Amino acid sequence: MWSVHQHGTARALTTNLAGVILVVVALSLSFAATYARDSKHLVAGISTASDVPGTCHLAHDYFESEMAVAELTPPVPCTAPHSSETLWTRQLTGILALQHNRPTPELLSGQYKDVCQDPTQLDHYIGHIWPGFPYNLVVYPRYPSAPEWRAGLRTVRCVGSLWFNQGVNRLTWSFPLRGSWSRTMSAIIRLCADAAGAYLPCDRPHVDEVLEPLNPFPATQISFPAPQLSRRLGLGPCTREALDLLGRKSIPREYQVVVEPAERQNWPHSHDVGCRIRSSVRSGTLAAGLT
Amino acid sequence: MNGPVAPDWRQWSPRLKRIAVAQPSRRTRRVVGVLIGAFWAAFLMARLFFRGTVGLADETDGHRYLCQRGLQAVLPSDNVRLYWHIYTTYNTHTWYGETCGTYRGDETKYASSHEAVLWLGQQLNGLFGMPGAFDLRTLAIVYALVIGVAIGLTFALLPGNLLVRLVITVGIGLVYTESVVAVYFVSPYAEPTVWCGFALLLPALLWFWKAPEISWPRLALVVGISFFTIAAKTQAVGYLPAILFALLWKRSPLSDSRHTAQALRRRATGLMAAARGRGRSIVAGALLVTAVGGYVGTGGNLTVYSQLNVYEMVFTTLLPAGHDPAADLRWMGADPALAYASGTSVVSGDGASYDPRLLTFSRDVSQVTVLRFVAAHPLRLVPLTQYGLRALGHWRPAYLGNYTDTPAHPGLQQECRDCFYYYLFTPARKAPFWFGVLLLLTLLGGLWIRNVGFIPAPNRVMGKVAVFFVLATFGEFWTVQLTQGVGDEVKHHVFTLLPMMLCVPSFIGCLLLGRRVPDGASDDTSDSAATGTGDGDEDNLATAPIPAAAGL
């Protein structure tokens, strides 16, 4: 038989045990609240290995494009509207590639900012053997996911997206970029400008089609040239570029070759002038011979 | 002629005065508490919604909470500047891989009790007739109701007469409707969950303090609310010292000072009860600390932010505060060649965040290193204090808009529908030294009301309230200053401003409740009657003064 004292002690123990359990339950409920996630709408991305060149993706917002270090959303058909296409891959090297954990986005962007900058490769991919200026394409890297990086993968995907856009939404297109330069739909990856001078894709209403910039100055030109000199020296080569694009021997009356003078802020590293074909407002590219 | 008889205000005035200065009965407290709560809920909703919704734009941190609930903001276009306006409606969306991360597309998910609140909002969205799968305004209504409940409960549990309770709760209500705090209620951020938790914590603490002895249910309530609040956002961990102090600040029951056998028995019983109660508080506090440690350690938030915070503490805050950044880096065991990055932030183009040498730095310098450095260089606390006070003076970040995206409201426009404390703190905003004066006065007020002999025992709880808010302010101020330094400090210090503003009604409460009360002024017939078993702290004694020595 328990004494009164033992009964009291047992009761106190029971009370305190129940109290501790109560506190633990209160804490556990709050802790569980931190994991109240909607797992149905949080899905693992595809693997980097499956995101081969020619794979297209549709980013729905800022967090799937600009903010994403390793965007691995499921692909969409390249004939459906999409916002990026994987063009080629590269292997990362250097000190960052030796890290077990994927370095910060700042370190990656600082060290590998040029890893995907390869104009020759881009020309090859889109079939840029024809004249024109594919300046409305930007190529940027997508890194392996953090678990893939830890597993040793160092493959970076070089992804192409359209750059200049005057619309309210992210620019999409509906054809594969591979070999697309010879097709009329390539207007969207060509660069044009409106009457206010703002760049936009050539499939939008525009007055200028932008050609490849060129350096018309002799090597002896050291000092920054006056705009008139830029225009005078640039007109000949710009006209030749325009004729190449138009597939003609002379510039039709409705078109005008415009030379954008060299810019003072760029002069230390670039002597290029801009070349454009000006017309009345039109849509599409002036490039000849497209299918 | 028989017409309506005009009220005789000469008769009413003394009656109103009598009601206002009398101790309210339990029924009065309940009725007025409900009315007060309903008023503040309605007032908060009105200030948020009347003449157009106001809130706080998402600088992308809000995304990390909403995406975990499978939600995506409905934006008028892809090119909108998120910082400029608030976008309240969200649709369901599937997020793949790292597109729903903590920071800049990271693999970790941000653990937060705010997720449960968002879940509630999703369930209520249709019921409230809001568009989309979720609308921030749904939660704003819920937040307003919670704030109303908290203020109503606070009114019912506060000491003092009707007038004093009204004054204190008006001061508290104005804190939660103040622009710097209220705009968060229509935002995707976790802050409003912290605000609601903090608002509920006050009545929970009052209930805990008023108990005749420390009971497990009351402890569980305080600890549960505290953890829910801290787990909403790791920054709220700065409130933890104040909460622990509040848990342990429960005085032992008053003993009968006579030397009779019965008195000795009661004294011994009281001491045992005190020891038992203190033990319970210690156990509950230890469990709370363990839970917070577990949350911070496993939530993933620390993993992502530790490197970022160390960068901001070292390069953005501590190095510019000294004269020899290379020597400081050497002290920390880092490469002194990184001294060039002194004064830069993570996103500065010329900073060290792009420098591979940062890999070694991140390996060798941790937040513990930073704390050790500050401990070894205590003079750095001076500029740290100055930076923090300057941030408090800025009051609110200017880079986030408060209005919806309509032609009537240009980007980044700020609202000021209730800026009571903004204007009240004008001298402090201009000379932040006054923030310190407010804290000191509130602390002294709180200690004074606990220790002055003539003050009725139930009123002394106001001292605990005052000291709690001072400690919460102090704890949060230094949490921000020692973990993030000057990185986005104006926005981070809203966690400091909240308890600091609450110091004002607490201080006023101390002044009002610290006055001499004529005998027999109380008509309270409820739970403030002496039971002879209580801790003599608050409700369990009549309004008889207690010796000053028993104050703390």
Side-chain angles (χ1 to χ4, degrees):
Chain A
M1 287 287 285
W2 280 18
S3 67
V4 175
H5 177 72
Q6 280 173 322
H7 270 295
T9 307
R11 198 174 55 197
L13 272 174
T14 312
T15 306
N16 286 331
L17 187 64
V20 169
I21 290 170
L22 190 63
V23 171
V24 170
V25 166
L27 291 170
S28 303
L29 284 175
S30 295
F31 199 82
T34 66
Y35 288 90
R37 293 173 188 148
D38 182 355
S39 53
K40 206 170 64 186
H41 291 100
L42 291 173
V43 182
I46 62 168
S47 69
T48 291
S50 66
D51 198 14
V52 294
T55 307
C56 295
H57 296 269
L58 177 60
H60 293 88
D61 68 10
Y62 180 69
F63 300 101
E64 288 180 345
S65 51
E66 288 85 347
M67 287 285 273
V69 177
E71 191 262 334
L72 284 162
T73 57
V76 296
C78 290
T79 49
H82 58 276
S83 54
S84 68
E85 179 174 333
T86 302
L87 306 178
W88 59 83
T89 60
R90 289 273 188 273
Q91 288 301 312
L92 295 177
T93 56
I95 186 170
L96 295 194
L98 298 174
Q99 305 304 309
H100 174 66
N101 289 312
R102 193 180 63 194
T104 61
E106 290 81 13
L107 278 172
L108 290 172
S109 63
Q111 288 303 299
Y112 299 127
K113 65 178 187 296
D114 294 327
V115 71
C116 286
Q117 300 312 309
D118 188 343
T120 310
Q121 178 85 26
L122 181 62
D123 286 351
H124 177 74
Y125 192 88
I126 64 172
H128 184 207
I129 49 172
W130 299 56
F133 185 38
Y135 199 57
N136 202 30
L137 268 179
V138 59
V139 184
Y140 52 90
R142 289 287 192 218
Y143 299 93
S145 69
E148 286 177 330
W149 185 287
R150 282 195 295 274
L153 190 70
R154 297 294 182 269
T155 305
V156 65
R157 293 158 288 146
C158 295
V159 174
S161 280
L162 301 182
W163 186 243
F164 290 102
N165 174 23
Q166 296 300 307
V168 294
N169 287 316
R170 180 164 285 102
L171 209 51
T172 59
W173 71 103
S174 306
F175 58 90
L177 287 174
R178 194 189 293 275
S180 62
W181 193 247
S182 60
R183 304 175 66 185
T184 50
M185 58 182 63
S186 66
I188 200 168
I189 57 173
R190 296 171 188 262
L191 190 67
C192 286
D194 64 16
Y199 290 124
L200 73 174
C202 289
D203 68 334
R204 303 284 170 88
H206 60 269
V207 294
D208 286 350
E209 180 155 352
V210 180
L211 307 177
E212 191 107 34
L214 51 84
N215 176 4
F217 301 104
T220 51
Q221 182 73 39
I222 304 297
S223 60
F224 178 71
Q228 296 88 333
L229 182 62
S230 276
R231 289 195 185 95
R232 187 161 56 79
L233 294 180
L235 187 58
C238 280
T239 303
R240 280 193 292 279
E241 247 193 66
L243 291 172
D244 278 350
L245 184 87
L246 295 166
R248 291 169 179 262
K249 293 203 165 117
S250 63
I251 302 290
R253 274 194 314 183
E254 64 267 33
Y255 303 137
Q256 179 193 352
V257 175
V258 176
V259 178
E260 298 274 295
E263 293 182 359
R264 187 181 288 277
Q265 69 269 24
N266 294 337
W267 186 254
H269 58 268
S270 169
H271 291 190
D272 284 356
V273 297
C275 303
R276 298 176 176 200
I277 303 176
R278 182 157 295 168
S279 65
S280 54
V281 177
R282 64 188 308 283
S283 298
T285 177
L286 291 169
L290 303 184
T291 57
Chain B
M1 207 168 90
N2 288 329
V5 180
D8 185 350
W9 293 110
R10 282 169 302 181
Q11 284 182 358
W12 271 94
S13 178
R15 187 182 295 179
L16 279 175
K17 194 175 171 186
R18 264 203 313 279
I19 293 171
V21 299
Q23 294 293 325
S25 66
R26 177 177 286 183
R27 185 170 170 277
T28 309
R29 290 204 304 262
R30 284 180 180 170
V31 171
V32 182
V34 168
L35 292 174
I36 294 277
F39 168 78
W40 283 107
F43 185 74
L44 181 52
M45 279 190 253
R47 66 95 60 229
L48 290 174
F49 302 134
F50 183 63
R51 300 188 71 182
T53 303
V54 290
L56 194 64
D58 183 12
E59 38 78 294
T60 72
D61 274 0
H63 165 73
R64 66 190 178 198
Y65 305 108
L66 274 298
C67 69
Q68 289 186 68
R69 293 293 321 148
L71 294 167
Q72 180 189 38
V74 177
L75 303 174
S77 82
D78 287 346
N79 299 331
V80 292
R81 293 179 172 93
L82 285 174
Y83 287 55
W84 280 29
H85 292 99
I86 52 168
Y87 299 96
T88 63
T89 307
Y90 286 74
N91 278 339
T92 306
H93 182 71
T94 299
W95 298 95
Y96 291 91
E98 299 176 4
T99 54
C100 178
T102 294
Y103 170 73
R104 293 200 61 178
D106 183 85
E107 66 176 323
T108 55
K109 302 284 178 276
Y110 192 95
S112 169
S113 56
H114 186 53
E115 297 304 326
V117 177
L118 292 173
W119 172 84
L120 179 67
Q122 284 176 282
Q123 310 312 308
L124 295 174
N125 202 58
L127 191 69
F128 288 5
M130 293 293 180
F134 170 71
D135 196 290
L136 296 174
R137 291 168 294 183
T138 300
L139 272 189
I141 294 168
V142 175
Y143 294 140
L145 294 173
V146 172
I147 294 293
V149 167
I151 295 176
L153 287 171
T154 303
F155 176 90
L157 290 162
L158 276 172
N161 61 40
L162 208 59
L163 193 62
V164 170
R165 290 169 193 243
L166 266 175
V167 169
I168 297 170
T169 46
V170 164
I172 293 171
L174 286 171
V175 169
Y176 289 100
T177 55
E178 162 73 35
S179 281
V180 67
V181 169
V183 289
Y184 280 93
F185 289 123
V186 183
S187 80
Y189 301 113
E191 272 82 347
T193 297
V194 178
W195 304 165
C196 288
F198 204 71
L200 286 170
L201 191 56
L202 178 56
L205 280 173
L206 287 168
W207 192 52
F208 169 71
W209 284 327
K210 286 159 78 81
E213 62 178 18
I214 294 171
S215 70
W216 283 111
R218 296 188 194 215
L219 269 174
L221 185 71
V222 171
V223 167
I225 292 175
S226 299
F227 184 52
F228 193 85
T229 306
I230 292 169
K233 199 171 183 196
T234 39
Q235 262 165 355
V237 79
Y239 299 144
L240 185 61
I243 292 165
L244 292 176
F245 197 76
L247 279 177
L248 296 172
W249 196 2
K250 180 80 179 165
R251 205 177 56 232
S252 59
L254 269 187
S255 301
D256 190 336
S257 58
R258 291 170 297 175
H259 292 284
T260 60
Q262 190 187 11
L264 284 171
R265 268 202 305 278
R266 288 176 63 176
R267 201 182 302 170
T269 311
L271 283 171
M272 281 186 65
R276 196 168 58 237
R278 191 60 59 87
R280 288 176 179 179
S281 289
I282 290 170
V283 170
L287 287 171
L288 176 61
V289 171
T290 308
V292 170
Y295 160 68
V296 173
T298 64
N301 313 354
L302 191 66
T303 317
V304 179
Y305 283 108
S306 58
Q307 282 187 25
L308 184 68
N309 289 345
V310 167
Y311 189 101
E312 287 178 341
M313 274 308 298
V314 173
F315 292 103
T316 320
T317 310
L318 291 173
L319 297 188
H323 301 293
D324 190 350
D328 291 346
L329 285 168
R330 211 173 289 117
W331 191 99
M332 293 180 202
D335 186 349
L338 289 173
Y340 75 89
S342 172
T344 64
S345 75
V346 169
V347 293
S348 301
D350 56 348
S353 55
Y354 303 92
D355 190 329
R357 286 175 290 191
L358 197 70
L359 291 168
T360 321
F361 173 87
S362 298
R363 191 193 62 207
D364 297 340
V365 182
S366 67
Q367 286 179 308
V368 175
T369 317
V370 169
L371 293 177
R372 281 179 45 233
F373 178 84
V374 174
H377 301 78
L379 283 179
R380 296 294 165 93
L381 291 173
V382 176
L384 275 177
T385 309
Q386 287 172 335
Y387 298 155
L389 290 175
R390 187 183 60 197
L392 290 174
H394 280 294
W395 200 251
R396 60 199 279 195
Y399 67 87
L400 295 172
N402 291 150
Y403 286 90
T404 50
D405 191 356
T406 59
H409 300 293
L412 301 177
Q413 191 180 3
Q414 302 220 311
E415 68 94 39
C416 205
R417 290 177 180 174
D418 169 9
C419 284
F420 176 78
Y421 283 97
Y422 175 81
Y423 290 117
L424 184 71
F425 282 16
T426 301
R429 286 188 294 107
K430 290 180 178 165
F433 156 77
W434 291 104
F435 285 123
V437 173
L438 169 69
L439 290 181
L440 188 64
L441 284 176
T442 310
L443 181 69
L444 292 175
L447 295 176
W448 172 73
I449 199 171
R450 299 285 309 166
N451 286 285
V452 176
F454 64 79
I455 293 170
N459 294 3
R460 291 171 183 269
V461 76
M462 204 61 219
K464 287 185 180 178
V465 173
V467 175
F468 171 73
F469 286 137
V470 171
L471 288 178
T473 308
F474 194 78
E476 194 55 51
F477 180 87
W478 284 108
T479 299
V480 172
Q481 288 309 102
L482 290 174
T483 58
Q484 290 152 327
V486 297
D488 202 11
E489 75 277 26
V490 177
K491 185 162 179 282
H492 294 157
H493 271 303
V494 68
F495 284 88
T496 311
L497 282 174
L498 178 77
M500 183 177 296
M501 288 188 284
L502 287 166
C503 284
V504 174
S506 311
F507 178 62
I508 293 170
C510 289
L511 293 182
L512 294 174
L513 293 166
R515 292 174 309 150
R516 279 183 195 278
V517 178
D519 290 343
S522 170
D523 67 351
D524 197 345
T525 55
S526 58
D527 55 357
S528 65
T531 62
T533 59
D535 63 0
D537 206 350
E538 279 81 42
D539 272 4
N540 301 295
L541 283 187
T543 54
I546 54 173
L552 279 167

